[in-house]
Structures are given as C-alpha cells and as structure tokens.
Amino acid sequence: MTRNRLFLFAAASLVAGIMVFSCTSSPRKTTGSDPSLPAYLDGSRPISERVENALSLMTTDEKVALTHAQSKFSSAGVPRLGIPMVWCTDGPHGIRTEVLWDEWDQAGWTCDSCTAYPALTALAASWDPELARLYGVSIGEEARYRGKDVLLGPGVNILRTPLNGRNFEYMGEDPFLSSTMVVPYVQGVQSNNVAACVKHFALNNQETNRFTTNVIVDDRTLYEIYLPAFKAAVQQGGAWAIMGSYNLYKDQWNCHNQYLLNDILKGEWGFDGVVISDWGGVHNTDQAIHNGLDMEYGSWTNGLTMGKTNAYDSYFLADPYKKLLAEGKVGTEELDDKARRVLRLIFRTGMNPDRKFGKFTSPEHSAAARKIGAEGIVLLRNEGGLLPIKADAGKILVVGENAVKMMTVGGGSSSLKAKYEISPLDGIRGAFPSAKVVYERGYVGDASGEYNGVSTGQDLSEKRDAKTLIADACAQAKDADYVIFIGGLNKSDHQDAEGADRTQFGLPYGQDDVIEALSAVAGSKLVVVNISGNPVGMPWSDKVGAILQDWYLGSEAGNSLADVLSGKVNPSGKLPFTIPVELSDGPIRTPEQFPGVNNGKNYEGYPITDETYSEGIYVGYRWFEKKEIKPLFPFGYGLSYTTFEYGEPKLSAKSITKNGHLTVTVPVKNTGSVPGAEVVQLYIKDKECSVDRPVKELKGFSKVYLQPGQSKEVSIDIDSSALSFFDATSHKWVCESGTFTAVIASSSADEKGSVDFDVK
Ligand code: BGC
C-alpha cells in the first residue's frame, strides 16, 4: 500500500463508524476529487473546502478542544473524525527532546537526540538568506521525522539591550536584516509540511518581568523597528503560525491583544494562520476568546501547579469557554474562526496529502550545521595576519571553559539533547593533528550542565583557585606558538538564557583578568574567541592579536570554529549587532526604559511594570550614528583573510517615481590571495525629510563569493519600501519626494561609495 493510500485508508476507517462511504476507492493526491470521501479527507480538494466540511461535522465541544492544549506540547485533534492531534516542538535551534505528558522533564526516550544547529544570532551573522533556507529545510526535516506539526521558532525580536538573556535566539538589532533572514527560514521549514511558529509577537525584548512588563512605544517605532520581521515572516514567508508573547502592550497581554493580533496581524496583514499562546501566557477567558488567540498552551491553571495532571480542562479556553458558550454569553463566531484556523493548520501539516517523511540527524544535517556555523563566525581583529593558524604550528595552547563546555544543554526552552557535540577543543585537535595542543582551564564559570533532566554528563569540577588557574595558563603560554582563549558567556541563568537577563555587560567569572594576563605573556599570538549570543565588553581588545565573535554553534561547534581558525573557511560573517565600548553608550539609560517601573498597576493579581521605549526608533546603530558615539565594533562589521576592493557604485536611473524601483550596482574585487566572501551592504540616507530620520538605514545586502583576483558586479534593488517612514498620523508608510543617498558599505561604519538619486 502506498504512503498516500495508507493515509486515506486509515483516515477513512476511523470515520467509517459514523459515515458510510467506501474506503476502497483509489486514493488521490492533488488531481481530481474522490466522490466517495467526505471533502475534509480528500486531499485533492482546496483546503478551504476541507475546512468547511470538517467544521460542519463537528460538535461545539470538539471545536473547543481544538483551541487548547491536552499535554505540554500537544492539542487534541478530532478523534471521532480521524483528524490528528497537533504536536508542537521547540525550536528554534533543533528539535527538543520529548517531554513527559504533563511535565517539562524529558521523557527519557532514546531516539530523540537531534542535530543542534547554530543559534539564530549565528545565522543572522552569516548574512546569507540561502543559508537561512538551508537551516529551515534541515530543521523542518528533523521536525517532520519526529512527527511534529509546529516548530516553535524562529524568534525575531529585536536586540534592544545587550542584557536581554534571549538575544541568542533572535537575529540581531536590525529589522531589515531579520526580515530578510526570517523569510527563507520559514519557507524552508514549511516546505516539510511543518508550520513555523514565529515568536514572540511582539515587543518581547527582555526577560526581566517578562510576564508583567507593559510596553509603551509609539506607533512609528513599533512599525519601523519591532514589527517588520514578523510582517515579512507572515506576508513573504507565509508563516502558518505565530506565537503571542508574554508581555503586555497597551495594557493587554500579547497572547490576547486586540491591537497586535486582531488589528495588525489578522487585520492589516491578513494572517490566515493560528496564533498560539506562549506557554502560560493566557490570563483571561474573555480576552482569549475575543482578542485574536487561537490556541492556548502551557497555562498554569487557577491554583493548579505546573505539573498537575489533567489540568487542561481548566484552561481559559476549555471548560470556562464552554460554560460561556452554554450560557449564551458568547456566540460561536469566534469559536468557528479559531477552529477554522486550527483545521487549516492541520490540513497544511499533519493531514497534508503530500506530507513528507522528514529525515533525522543525517550527515547532510551535520554538514548544514557546520557550514552555517562557520559562515556566521565574525573576525573582529587580526593584527599582523595572526589568523589563520599555520598548518605547521608547533604548540597551540587552548585556554578557557568554553573550549570544553557543552553548550547545547541549557538556556531555557531552546535547550537540546544533541546526538553529539564537538567542542572547540576537539575541533582544534582534529584540525591540527600534528600540533601539540595543550589545554588549560583559565577560569571556572558554571560547571553544571543540566536542563529538564537532560545532562551533559561532563565533569567540569576544578580544585585550583583563580590565581593558580591564571598562573598555570600563563606558564603554558610562554612557549606556545598560538594561544587561543575561548570564553564568553554560557547558557546559565543571567548569561544567555531564558527567564533572566544578564546583570553585567563585561565578561563574567573574571575572564578579563585571564585575558589581560595572557596578553602580557603572549599578546601578539593571543586569539580571543568570544562565544556569546550578545555583545560583551572587551576592554582588552587592543592588547590581543585576534578576536573572533563566535556563537552557540550546536553539534558542529568545534568543527565550524576550527574551519575558520585553520583557514579552511575564510571568515565572512558580519556583526548583526553593534558592540559598544560601554553599555552606557547605548540608548537604554533609565529605569523607565529598562527594566521598567511599577506605576501601581495590577491585572489579574499581577503587579504590572510599565516600560517606555523612549529611545524610539534609535536602536542599535541608528542610535550610535545619531549621537556620534563610536562603538567598539559597528553593526555589519567583519574582517576576512582576504581583501576586497570596491569600485564606484552606479544607479540604473537618476530618479524614481514613488512606485518605481532602481538598481544600484557596484563592482567588487577580491584583491587578496585566498577565496573569500564579502557582504556588500546598502544603506539609505534621506537628505531632507519632514520627520527626524536615522543617519542611514540598512535596506539591502548581497553576499558575494570571489576567487583571488576575481571581480563581480553586485546589484541591489531599491523601491519605495526602502525609502519610506511610518507616519503615525495617517497610519501609512510614506515615501517623500526629494533626494536620497544610496550608500554602499562594508559595515555601517565603512562607507565605500555613495550615489544620490531623486524621488519624484
Ligand atoms: C518560551 C517559548 C517556548 C515555550 C515552550 C516558553 O517559555 O518563551 O519560546 O517556545 O516556552 O517551551
């Protein structure tokens, strides 16, 4: 029996008890309908027809059951009709281990160890939309193989403050970069009949008071900075699901928020997918019914604990909803809309007649993770061409906890049970088989490694004190050809982790002391590898030979890093965020801005904190450029082992109309001796405008791969979306006439050429 025949047969058999039809007719995929099947089972019919047919056969209770969870990560289907359950999984860096029905703890399966992919900051740093597609396809295949219908990711919240513990799950500070990268990720995931659930919608830019922060932001900032990546995911990526965030906006929780969900997402953007609550993000039945939520997950019901069995009937959209319906206090219009959306999700995923089979932990998945990781690493400094490490290196000293610490476990809901994880130290050992690779701990960070019952099993205990650790590392550094310090943050609380923000901008655990000491002994041959999902303070930056911004790179972490250190891969990553000299250089300066202040509000028994985004649109490089503050490393910055020469940028026309478009072209040449890739960036400056605008804004980029001596013409298109600002009064994007400048740059601070054009 073919796969498709089996699907129809199984579904038909389930329905046979209540309906009479033949289950022996030939199954069909998408060619011609089968009159013997009820429409909802006939995959050749349009989804809208299948949805309406299923809906017409369902009871009210069955519809309500679609709208809330039945376990930690699943919701019921319609068993009587053979409509399957919906299974969700985190997301966004790999397929989470199976958990117990009612608990967060892992279920102890032995077949659920996944490929851990690089964190989304790394993907963003690659500035390569095709890698985002590869990422989406790969993780989607793994989700499909594991029987999941919804992947809880990607995350596209904007990096507003470097203290946000979850920035590693997002794509940096710029709306254009995140928008460009999220679209192919979503499309890649969904090509496997798995829904991408884009999160956390919206304004969820910190972990402190994450359930109770009410964001106060003006419309222009909302539309220009915080919404574009979600909009792109929905309108260009065609996302089938979106996750409401924990926080509040306009004094309403975002999982049931009239403005964000009904007015903007479903109204202005025409979203036809499901809104899924963040886990435990629902607080009120009435708002959950009316304000745009479709599926409630993870609620900690009235007085019941997080692990209580069968608490699901008490969910806001379960028995309390049924009661209101039975009493006639609410009608069925909202319920039908929710049920339609959930059915649409099911017909797009689990009951898609062309449903794929998926693949799990294949060599191709490992290769994808390794490639994405290496392409995301950013070379920040390389004095005297210290890197790449020469193949005949004699002694390589590796120092630092992050050289050995497994990072796929921890950090919150994105924690993974990875099939394997290559540590940086192992990666370096593998890449330099003839070198003497010596390891020294250097500092003790967090020796633990456990999350919801998944343990790294590593013993990172250490008896030496901080002074001895530094002395031992320095002693080994004296005769080393290369000293590679591998440190940064980790996935423990108050580092890069969900649930709590960072408490300091500088490196924790006394790492600055270790780096200073090593630089005194071996400055010019010292490479600092910073592993983090956030900008960190680097007061020692001009005392070391080289700096690499590395990320949480997952299963292939060590190989990706070693590929760059050895020169097998020429680094081409560019920073997706600004690294300031000091945290206080950035735009967030008052408690009203972060972490917010209590103005005496109290909703549903929760004290609410107001947080005002008074910096407005001036986030990241927009702030630094406006205030003329020089960052340590600017947005879009990253070096290569080769050099590039830019020619003069040219325009396809001197002016455009408001509905037209034009193309900027610029020749770029690899003038060095090794192949390499350059991210050519296009920023737009509005010369005169009726409103205050950033000095310039990223509006295009293209990554170009060049052999030594090779030259290519890079083209980037501009249309009115690149020139417009959001006018809050008319509630419209406005493109004003006048002169604009197209700036071609290799980073936000390194302009290579510019050309003016007029908008008529
Ligand atoms: C997180 C989500 C996650 C969900 C399920 C929540 O706490 O905020 O990102 O998908 O848990 O694990």
Side-chain angles (χ1 to χ4, degrees):
M1 193 178 278
T2 64
R3 170 78 176 62
N4 192 47
R5 196 178 171 88
L6 192 65
F7 163 76
L8 289 171
F9 178 79
S13 305
L14 276 161
V15 185
I18 52 147
M19 303 183 82
V20 181
F21 63 88
S22 160
C23 59
T24 55
S25 57
S26 298
R28 297 222 175 86
K29 281 178 114 180
T30 46
T31 49
S33 61
D34 185 337
S36 65
L37 289 173
Y40 77 94
L41 282 180
D42 185 349
S44 67
R45 291 176 191 266
I47 284 187
S48 55
E49 214 178 296
R50 298 175 70 196
V51 166
E52 291 312 315
N53 176 245
L55 198 70
S56 71
L57 300 171
M58 287 166 63
T59 65
T60 300
D61 282 4
E62 284 171 337
K63 291 177 190 172
V64 171
L66 289 184
T67 69
H68 64 86
Q70 58 164 10
S71 77
K72 276 271 175 270
F73 282 96
S74 74
S75 59
V78 192
R80 183 178 63 89
L81 299 181
I83 295 177
M85 299 175 269
V86 175
W87 279 91
C88 304
T89 178
D90 284 301
H93 303 145
I95 308 308
R96 187 175 177 158
T97 185
E98 299 301 327
V99 302
L100 294 168
W101 190 257
D102 288 317
E103 289 162 42
W104 293 106
D105 264 12
Q106 66 147 335
W109 289 23
T110 52
C111 56
D112 59 348
S113 302
C114 67
T115 306
Y117 294 92
L120 291 191
T121 33
L123 176 64
S126 77
W127 292 60
D128 187 341
E130 281 317 304
L131 285 186
R133 188 175 306 282
L134 174 68
Y135 195 130
V137 168
S138 308
I139 196 171
E141 284 174 347
E142 296 210 21
R144 177 39 71 225
Y145 184 86
R146 285 266 302 278
K148 308 303 179 191
D149 306 302
V150 180
L151 177 79
L152 304 174
V156 286
N157 295 97
I158 290 292
L159 190 154
R160 175 174 177 256
T161 164
L163 297 185
N164 179 9
R166 285 190 93 170
N167 281 337
F168 72 101
E169 292 185 63
Y170 306 142
M171 301 202 197
E173 72 185 28
D174 183 71
F176 184 85
L177 177 61
S178 342
S179 302
T180 309
M181 300 301 281
V182 73
V183 170
Y185 181 115
V186 168
Q187 291 169 338
V189 170
Q190 296 191 164
S191 68
N192 292 286
N193 324 114
V194 172
C197 181
V198 187
K199 63 190 190 183
H200 306 87
F201 189 66
L203 302 164
N204 185 191
N205 304 304
Q206 69 190 57
E207 291 300 285
T208 310
N209 299 326
R210 65 174 171 161
F211 301 108
T212 53
T213 294
N214 176 49
V215 173
I216 299 168
V217 61
D218 63 83
D219 277 5
R220 178 170 175 209
T221 303
L222 179 68
Y223 277 78
E224 287 191 16
I225 305 292
Y226 296 102
L227 295 185
F230 290 102
K231 185 180 180 190
V234 167
Q235 293 196 328
Q236 290 161 247
W240 294 333
I242 212 160
M243 184 187 287
S245 60
Y246 283 136
N247 52 294
L248 302 87
Y249 164 63
K250 289 199 180 178
D251 294 296
Q252 271 179 13
W253 270 289
N254 289 353
C255 290
H256 31 75
N257 189 299
Q258 171 65 27
Y259 314 100
L260 291 175
L261 302 180
N262 281 342
D263 296 349
I264 297 176
L265 177 67
K266 293 180 175 176
E268 292 176 21
W269 301 349
F271 176 65
D272 72 353
V274 289
V275 174
I276 296 181
S277 73
D278 199 347
W279 268 234
V282 183
H283 299 271
N284 175 307
T285 296
D286 187 60
Q287 291 187 13
I289 293 171
H290 295 104
N291 291 357
L293 179 68
D294 300 307
M295 299 178 93
E296 175 189 8
Y297 276 89
S299 294
W300 309 324
T301 56
N302 314 324
L304 299 174
T305 64
M306 288 164 68
K308 177 87 180 180
T309 303
N310 286 337
Y312 305 100
D313 287 346
S314 307
Y315 270 37
F316 294 93
L317 285 182
D319 285 353
Y321 192 8
K322 283 191 205 165
K323 189 163 177 281
L324 292 178
L325 285 160
E327 291 168 356
K329 292 191 174 142
V330 293
T332 52
E333 191 189 331
E334 296 83 8
L335 181 63
D336 283 346
D337 181 55
K338 293 179 206 304
R340 274 194 186 94
R341 288 172 183 272
V342 179
L343 288 168
R344 198 175 294 135
L345 174 78
I346 294 173
F347 294 143
R348 283 168 163 168
T349 58
M351 281 183 93
N352 187 322
D354 300 315
R355 196 177 127 154
K356 305 249 168 55
F357 296 95
K359 288 184 210 159
F360 200 51
T361 57
S362 70
E364 289 76 23
H365 292 140
S366 296
R370 182 172 182 162
K371 184 171 169 62
I372 296 162
E375 297 271 323
I377 293 173
V378 185
L379 179 63
L380 296 176
R381 181 177 166 90
N382 197 16
E383 288 302 290
L386 177 60
L387 292 177
I389 292 173
K390 295 194 176 56
D392 61 356
K395 176 178 173 183
I396 301 175
L397 172 65
V398 178
V399 182
E401 186 171 285
N402 284 356
V404 294
K405 187 174 170 64
M406 279 180 68
M407 294 283 204
T408 50
V409 176
S413 55
S414 62
S415 179
L416 296 170
K417 183 162 88 178
K419 188 172 171 192
Y420 69 93
E421 180 175 341
I422 311 278
S423 71
L425 181 61
D426 285 344
I428 291 167
R429 289 210 161 112
F432 300 97
S434 53
K436 183 180 169 202
V437 178
V438 177
Y439 175 66
E440 272 295 335
R441 181 72 172 267
Y443 69 94
V444 178
D446 187 341
S448 67
E450 196 272 338
Y451 188 82
N452 283 158
V454 178
S455 165
T456 62
Q458 282 189 299
D459 180 6
L460 293 178
S461 58
E462 172 61 61
K463 291 204 175 64
R464 287 171 291 176
D465 64 10
K467 232 169 119 188
T468 314
L469 286 170
I470 292 178
D472 289 353
C474 287
Q476 285 289 358
K478 283 191 184 117
D479 64 344
D481 296 313
Y482 293 89
V483 179
I484 309 176
F485 175 85
I486 304 182
L489 308 180
N490 57 38
K491 300 283 194 68
S492 309
D493 287 352
H494 298 293
Q495 303 289 317
D496 283 324
E498 180 179 344
D501 287 322
R502 295 168 66 200
T503 53
Q504 63 183 73
F505 178 60
L507 287 176
Y509 316 127
Q511 292 177 74
D512 287 348
D513 294 342
V514 188
I515 297 170
E516 294 281 356
L518 288 172
S519 80
V521 184
S524 61
K525 51 190 180 175
L526 174 59
V527 180
V528 174
V529 177
N530 177 60
I531 298 182
S532 70
N534 255 313
V536 302
M538 300 182 179
W540 32 258
S541 63
D542 57 359
K543 295 185 198 153
V544 305
I547 305 175
L548 286 172
Q549 175 62 45
D550 199 359
W551 316 95
Y552 305 109
L553 295 187
S555 292
E556 289 285 330
N559 286 336
S560 302
L561 175 62
D563 285 347
V564 168
L565 288 170
S566 66
K568 188 172 167 192
V569 170
N570 186 352
S572 60
K574 300 270 186 174
L575 286 177
F577 49 58
T578 307
I579 304 184
V581 177
E582 307 277 355
L583 183 64
S584 55
D585 289 347
I588 312 300
R589 297 175 168 207
T590 68
E592 285 76 15
Q593 288 175 290
F594 176 85
V597 293
N598 194 315
N599 288 324
K601 290 180 183 170
N602 192 301
Y603 304 142
E604 310 287 348
Y606 293 94
I608 303 299
T609 302
D610 280 335
E611 184 172 88
T612 310
Y613 286 21
S614 52
E615 71 286 356
I617 57 174
Y618 294 101
V619 174
Y621 65 90
R622 288 167 170 78
W623 168 266
F624 285 84
E625 294 189 350
K626 179 184 168 70
K627 296 287 175 186
E628 297 181 357
I629 300 170
K630 198 170 176 301
L632 185 61
F633 296 109
F635 172 79
Y637 177 79
L639 302 169
S640 163
Y641 295 151
T642 188
T643 45
F644 300 99
E645 196 178 272
Y646 283 68
E648 221 181 287
K650 293 214 165 62
L651 288 170
S652 57
K654 278 201 159 16
S655 66
I656 55 170
T657 59
K658 286 178 187 174
N659 298 323
H661 75 100
L662 52 75
T663 305
V664 188
T665 46
V666 62
V668 181
K669 184 175 182 188
N670 180 346
T671 47
S673 53
V674 288
E678 169 71 331
V679 178
V680 178
Q681 300 162 40
L682 168 77
Y683 295 83
I684 296 286
K685 289 183 182 176
D686 189 353
K687 288 195 141 176
E688 298 148 40
C689 187
S690 61
V691 296
D692 193 29
R693 294 195 78 174
V695 173
K696 64 180 188 295
E697 297 183 276
L698 182 74
K699 293 296 174 185
F701 61 86
S702 176
K703 191 163 184 172
V704 56
Y705 291 81
L706 296 168
Q707 293 300 318
Q710 193 187 4
S711 200
K712 271 190 193 163
E713 195 89 346
V714 175
S715 305
I716 305 176
D717 275 350
I718 301 175
D719 64 19
S720 67
S721 68
L723 313 173
S724 306
F725 62 89
F726 188 80
D727 178 47
T729 316
S730 62
H731 201 75
K732 282 199 179 111
W733 287 92
V734 173
C735 173
E736 287 182 340
S737 313
T739 307
F740 289 77
T741 307
V743 177
I744 291 292
S746 142
S747 84
S748 59
D750 187 5
E751 300 187 8
K752 299 292 188 189
S754 66
V755 51
D756 283 1
F757 60 95
D758 291 324
V759 174
K760 290 189 173 152

